[in-house]
Amino acid sequence: MRATFALRSAARTPLIRFLGRRSVPQSVDHTPRPHPASPSGILPDSFAAYRIKAQQHGPLGRASFSQGIGRSSGASLGPIQPKQGEFFDRDELPSRFHRLPWSEAEIEAIETGGASLCA
Protein backbone atom coordinates (compact mmCIF):
# COMPACT_ATOMS: atom_id res chain seq x y z
CA MET A 1 0.00 0.00 0.00
CA ARG A 2 2.98 2.29 0.41
CA ALA A 3 3.71 2.23 -3.34
CA THR A 4 0.26 3.64 -4.14
CA PHE A 5 0.73 6.42 -1.62
CA ALA A 6 4.14 7.27 -3.06
CA LEU A 7 2.73 7.45 -6.58
CA ARG A 8 -0.10 9.76 -5.53
CA SER A 9 2.17 12.15 -3.71
CA ALA A 10 4.66 12.43 -6.62
CA ALA A 11 4.34 15.54 -8.75
CA ARG A 12 3.16 14.84 -12.25
CA THR A 13 5.30 16.30 -15.00
CA PRO A 14 3.90 16.22 -18.53
CA LEU A 15 6.02 14.52 -21.18
CA ILE A 16 5.32 17.21 -23.77
CA ARG A 17 6.79 20.70 -23.64
CA PHE A 18 5.46 23.72 -25.50
CA LEU A 19 7.67 26.54 -26.69
CA GLY A 20 6.64 30.03 -25.58
CA ARG A 21 3.60 31.22 -23.71
CA ARG A 22 0.01 30.51 -24.60
CA SER A 23 -1.39 33.22 -26.79
CA VAL A 24 -4.99 33.64 -27.86
CA PRO A 25 -5.45 35.50 -31.16
CA GLN A 26 -7.04 38.92 -30.67
CA SER A 27 -9.31 38.65 -33.72
CA VAL A 28 -10.48 35.52 -35.48
CA ASP A 29 -12.59 35.69 -38.63
CA HIS A 30 -15.54 33.32 -38.20
CA THR A 31 -17.47 34.34 -41.31
CA PRO A 32 -18.63 31.32 -43.30
CA ARG A 33 -16.70 30.58 -46.48
CA PRO A 34 -17.14 27.87 -49.09
CA HIS A 35 -14.80 24.92 -48.88
CA PRO A 36 -11.75 25.26 -51.15
CA ALA A 37 -12.71 22.02 -52.94
CA SER A 38 -16.33 23.12 -53.44
CA PRO A 39 -17.47 22.54 -57.04
CA SER A 40 -19.46 25.78 -57.17
CA GLY A 41 -17.33 27.94 -54.88
CA ILE A 42 -20.38 29.62 -53.34
CA LEU A 43 -22.33 29.13 -50.13
CA PRO A 44 -25.98 28.03 -50.24
CA ASP A 45 -28.59 30.67 -49.43
CA SER A 46 -29.93 28.70 -46.49
CA PHE A 47 -29.85 25.19 -45.08
CA ALA A 48 -33.37 24.58 -46.37
CA ALA A 49 -32.27 25.52 -49.90
CA TYR A 50 -29.30 23.17 -49.55
CA ARG A 51 -31.51 20.25 -48.46
CA ILE A 52 -33.77 20.67 -51.48
CA LYS A 53 -30.84 20.16 -53.85
CA ALA A 54 -28.75 17.72 -51.77
CA GLN A 55 -28.64 13.99 -52.45
CA GLN A 56 -27.67 11.37 -49.91
CA HIS A 57 -29.09 7.91 -50.52
CA GLY A 58 -31.89 9.64 -52.40
CA PRO A 59 -33.44 13.09 -52.25
CA LEU A 60 -33.41 14.80 -48.86
CA GLY A 61 -36.24 17.23 -49.50
CA ARG A 62 -39.70 16.57 -48.06
CA ALA A 63 -41.32 16.98 -51.49
CA SER A 64 -39.59 13.87 -52.77
CA PHE A 65 -41.16 11.71 -50.06
CA SER A 66 -44.64 12.85 -50.94
CA GLN A 67 -44.17 11.79 -54.57
CA GLY A 68 -44.63 8.14 -53.69
CA ILE A 69 -41.24 6.82 -52.60
CA GLY A 70 -41.99 4.52 -49.71
CA ARG A 71 -45.74 4.84 -50.24
CA SER A 72 -46.02 2.25 -53.01
CA SER A 73 -44.94 -1.36 -53.24
CA GLY A 74 -41.73 -2.38 -54.94
CA ALA A 75 -43.67 -4.32 -57.59
CA SER A 76 -45.39 -1.13 -58.69
CA LEU A 77 -42.01 0.46 -59.46
CA GLY A 78 -41.56 -2.00 -62.34
CA PRO A 79 -39.41 -5.04 -63.05
CA ILE A 80 -35.73 -5.00 -62.24
CA GLN A 81 -33.53 -6.68 -64.81
CA PRO A 82 -29.76 -7.07 -64.53
CA LYS A 83 -27.61 -5.38 -67.16
CA GLN A 84 -25.74 -7.39 -69.75
CA GLY A 85 -23.05 -9.42 -67.98
CA GLU A 86 -24.51 -8.87 -64.49
CA PHE A 87 -26.17 -11.56 -62.39
CA PHE A 88 -28.21 -11.39 -59.20
CA ASP A 89 -27.32 -14.83 -57.90
CA ARG A 90 -24.45 -17.27 -58.24
CA ASP A 91 -26.85 -19.94 -59.53
CA GLU A 92 -27.46 -17.84 -62.66
CA LEU A 93 -23.77 -18.10 -63.59
CA PRO A 94 -22.28 -21.00 -65.58
CA SER A 95 -22.06 -24.28 -63.66
CA ARG A 96 -18.33 -23.93 -62.97
CA PHE A 97 -19.17 -20.98 -60.68
CA HIS A 98 -21.98 -22.74 -58.74
CA ARG A 99 -21.57 -23.58 -55.08
CA LEU A 100 -20.06 -26.98 -54.42
CA PRO A 101 -22.08 -29.39 -52.26
CA TRP A 102 -20.74 -30.20 -48.79
CA SER A 103 -19.18 -33.65 -48.33
CA GLU A 104 -20.03 -35.80 -45.31
CA ALA A 105 -16.46 -35.39 -43.99
CA GLU A 106 -16.74 -31.59 -44.14
CA ILE A 107 -20.13 -31.63 -42.37
CA GLU A 108 -18.73 -33.91 -39.65
CA ALA A 109 -15.67 -31.68 -39.19
CA ILE A 110 -17.85 -28.58 -38.80
CA GLU A 111 -20.28 -30.22 -36.38
CA THR A 112 -17.48 -31.54 -34.14
CA GLY A 113 -15.45 -28.36 -34.29
CA GLY A 114 -12.60 -30.12 -36.09
CA ALA A 115 -12.22 -32.88 -33.46
CA SER A 116 -13.19 -35.58 -35.97
CA LEU A 117 -10.15 -34.71 -38.09
CA CYS A 118 -7.76 -35.54 -35.21
CA ALA A 119 -9.41 -38.82 -34.17
Side-chain angles (χ1 to χ4, degrees):
M1 298 304 164
R2 289 279 193 199
T4 306
F5 178 73
L7 286 176
R8 285 188 181 165
S9 64
R12 182 182 172 280
T13 57
L15 297 176
I16 187 170
R17 294 184 184 199
F18 296 97
L19 299 176
R21 297 185 64 198
R22 288 187 185 176
S23 62
V24 179
Q26 296 299 323
S27 63
V28 179
D29 185 20
H30 289 289
T31 57
R33 289 189 206 100
H35 191 274
S38 169
S40 64
I42 58 171
L43 289 172
D45 299 334
S46 66
F47 186 69
Y50 163 75
R51 281 189 60 91
I52 290 171
K53 294 183 245 173
Q55 293 276 332
Q56 179 183 4
H57 312 296
L60 292 177
R62 289 280 181 207
S64 62
F65 291 110
S66 64
Q67 292 175 355
I69 297 176
R71 296 185 187 272
S72 58
S73 66
S76 67
L77 296 175
I80 299 174
Q81 297 298 324
K83 297 176 185 173
Q84 180 67 26
E86 291 182 356
F87 299 94
F88 287 146
D89 191 46
R90 186 183 276 185
D91 293 334
E92 298 172 6
L93 294 170
S95 60
R96 64 183 175 156
F97 297 112
H98 287 193
R99 294 175 182 89
L100 296 175
W102 295 90
S103 68
E104 288 297 323
E106 289 172 325
I107 294 172
E108 183 68 24
I110 291 170
E111 289 179 350
T112 61
S116 62
L117 297 175
C118 299

